[in-house]
Amino acid sequence: LVTFAAAVLVSRLLRPALRLLERASRGRALGLRIASLTLARNPGYAVAATAFLVVSFGLALFAESYRATLARGERDQAAHRVPLDYVVREDLRRLIPVQDAASPARFRAVGVDVSPILRLTGGVGRLEGESGITLLGLPPETLPDLNGWRDDERPGSPEELARRIQAVPARGGPRLGDRLRARADGGPVQLFAEIEGPTGRFARVPLGGPLPPEVRGGRLAAIGLEPDTRVQERGADAGQALVGAVTIELPDVPGGITDWVGTGGARIDGTTVHYTLTNTVATRILPTRPPGPLPVLATPRLAGAADERGLLPLQVAGERLAVRVVGRVGRVPGVDGQAVVGDGEALAAAVNLERPGAGRINEVWLRLPEAGDRTGVDRLLAAKPFNVLTIESRHALEADARRDPIAHGTLLALAVAAAVALGLALAGILLTVLGDLRDDSGELLDLEAQGASPSLLRRVVRLRALTVAGAGLVAGALAGLALAAVVTDLVGLTARATSPEPPLALDVDGAVVAAAVLLYLVAAAGLILLATRRAFTSPAPPRAQVLE
């Protein structure tokens, strides 16, 4: 329908355009003036030939543009799944966390840049029907390196967005040695030390008890308070809160708990903690004050759920976490669906304050330097200790897409269609010249009999053909681009017949299109010269014979 409409439009505009060309060539180029004037007076075959060329060249450009669009879609899908060069996750068959399998230093020894990633799922209380959002924490300096993030999906440059989400992690817990001494007086409560080990793993041990080896030398993140084991109360006492006070002294912690902060019903007065314990809220005392809402980027639906100050309450790891939306992004690489993105270290610290251990880094994104050896890195990542993890490679995903038979057949079919359509356009040019020499021979012989030289007549025929070819080329290019632009909105499939994520975006391979246009022009000029090289070489007949 688009090509038909373009052909009709060109047919309507061709004659006035030829008139303008004839007027512009007066006194300048006799051959061009004669060619445009004769075409304007008898545009029948020119209109048909131009319409044919519009359809042929338009479909050729469309097929090539659609091929390039689908090829880019395959690359964009790989970049969406693996925003850098590699994504390393926990293998659900082995259940070995990434940080337990290999430290960031071990990954760097492979020859890659390491970005620790926090990925958690949660929900938004005020947003109905949206319970599967993703909280993605990453180093802000990683944003400029992400692949597959389109300019129209971001409110600013990656460098600017990195500055917006940068935050200071809330970490102020005291460092511990091999033990944590404690004296507690009061009750009936149980006290637990929540300790972050050097590797990021958390442990919960009775306050004053021996420390497990994996958390020695770690950081004291919080002290939890729980009611002592009691007989289940019934009647009027059922569900009542437990109110009391307990004195806590920590000889190994400078300053004790005097500057700590209570949460979930705890209030600190010197070394005494006044508490109100319930079964619905976790009660803790923290060595650092919980941070304010952390800045994040949010997808449109989540950004729209924020209040007028940009505050968005999230439910993450069973706890409430307030964030502040500082930018709206159309899509987040590496995440399907709605998501918020923030400073990974600050988000992990904030989540761990609410629930110690819930904000542990659980992914690693790796970037290969420009001079890196991809083959060598692939080989090292396939060996111990990385072989217990799940590793995805963007390069491998792109290679797999190229090997896919459906995708390969689709792209090949489009390339062949473009070549065939371009060949038909050249055949149309040749038939136009031959038809011009045959059907308008009387008019051309009349000009020759009136004194026009054979070279002038050949130039007129060639200019007529080139005029038709040029009009078909320009109109066909516009029709082809219109087709390509429309099809990305109407066709929701990739080259492998799957739903695209991210959506397809029009891509025109400028080098291929320029080469095709150049080939078309050179081949068309060659065919025209070949078809007219022997025209008007025989003596001109007398004028009377021409008139007969």
Side-chain angles (χ1 to χ4, degrees), residues 346-489:
L347 285 174
V351 172
N352 285 328
L353 284 177
E354 299 295 332
R355 173 167 290 188
R360 194 182 186 204
I361 298 299
N362 49 16
E363 276 187 27
V364 174
W365 292 0
L366 309 177
R367 185 177 69 87
L368 189 68
E370 293 183 3
D373 180 11
R374 185 181 303 277
T375 303
V377 171
D378 289 342
R379 184 175 61 255
L380 291 175
L381 290 178
K384 293 181 179 181
F386 312 109
N387 59 346
V388 298
L389 303 171
T390 297
I391 301 177
E392 282 190 299
S393 166
R394 180 168 54 87
H395 178 75
L397 291 176
E398 292 177 355
D400 182 66
R402 289 191 296 268
R403 290 191 300 266
D404 184 84
I406 296 178
H408 179 72
T410 300
L411 298 181
L412 180 60
L414 288 171
V416 171
V420 170
L422 192 62
L424 289 175
L426 293 175
I429 289 293
L430 179 59
L431 293 176
T432 298
V433 176
L434 297 178
D436 194 7
L437 292 173
R438 183 193 63 188
D439 298 336
D440 293 340
S441 58
E443 181 180 353
L444 296 172
L445 290 174
D446 188 22
L447 291 173
E448 186 176 10
Q450 294 182 40
S453 64
S455 60
L456 175 60
L457 295 177
R458 285 193 293 270
R459 188 162 63 250
V460 168
V461 174
R462 292 166 181 171
L463 288 173
R464 285 160 60 133
L466 288 175
T467 301
V468 171
L473 175 63
V474 174
L478 296 177
L481 291 177
L483 278 170
V486 169
V487 79
T488 54
D489 295 330

Side-chain angles (χ1 to χ4, degrees), residues 168-191:
V168 178
R171 286 182 177 171
R175 285 287 182 184
L176 303 177
D178 296 336
R179 62 177 182 171
L180 175 61
R181 295 176 297 169
R183 291 188 294 270
D185 185 16
V189 291
Q190 295 183 13
L191 304 177

Side-chain angles (χ1 to χ4, degrees), residues 273-348:
V273 180
H274 301 273
Y275 56 80
T276 301
L277 305 182
T278 66
N279 293 327
T280 59
V281 179
T283 303
R284 297 185 180 91
I285 58 174
L286 308 174
T288 182
R289 185 172 300 278
L294 296 174
V296 297
L297 306 173
T299 48
R301 184 168 169 80
L302 296 181
D307 63 15
E308 63 278 1
R309 296 174 297 171
L311 297 181
L312 180 67
L314 303 178
Q315 295 291 333
V316 179
E319 304 292 340
R320 186 177 182 275
L321 178 67
V323 295
R324 180 168 52 88
V325 178
V326 296
R328 182 189 299 245
V329 293
R331 179 179 57 87
V332 178
V335 178
D336 293 332
Q338 302 298 318
V340 295
V341 183
D343 188 316
E345 191 175 3
L347 285 174

Side-chain angles (χ1 to χ4, degrees), residues 509-535:
D509 193 331
V512 173
V513 172
V517 171
L518 181 61
L519 175 63
Y520 169 78
L521 293 176
V522 172
L527 289 175
I528 293 172
L529 291 175
L530 180 65
T532 59
R533 73 186 190 282
R534 295 184 179 180

Side-chain angles (χ1 to χ4, degrees), residues 108-176:
R108 294 189 186 94
V110 173
V112 293
D113 299 328
V114 181
S115 296
I117 303 296
L118 172 69
R119 184 191 295 266
L120 298 174
T121 58
V124 179
R126 66 176 62 169
L127 195 59
E128 296 183 1
E130 200 66 65
S131 59
I133 71 166
T134 299
L135 175 69
L136 188 71
L138 45 73
E141 60 272 14
T142 302
L143 286 180
D145 297 327
L146 297 184
N147 297 288
W149 212 358
R150 299 167 184 165
D151 292 339
D152 59 352
E153 296 172 336
R154 303 188 304 256
S157 66
E159 292 77 12
E160 178 188 351
L161 298 182
R163 290 191 294 270
R164 290 189 193 181
I165 66 173
Q166 196 164 17
V168 178
R171 286 182 177 171
R175 285 287 182 184
L176 303 177

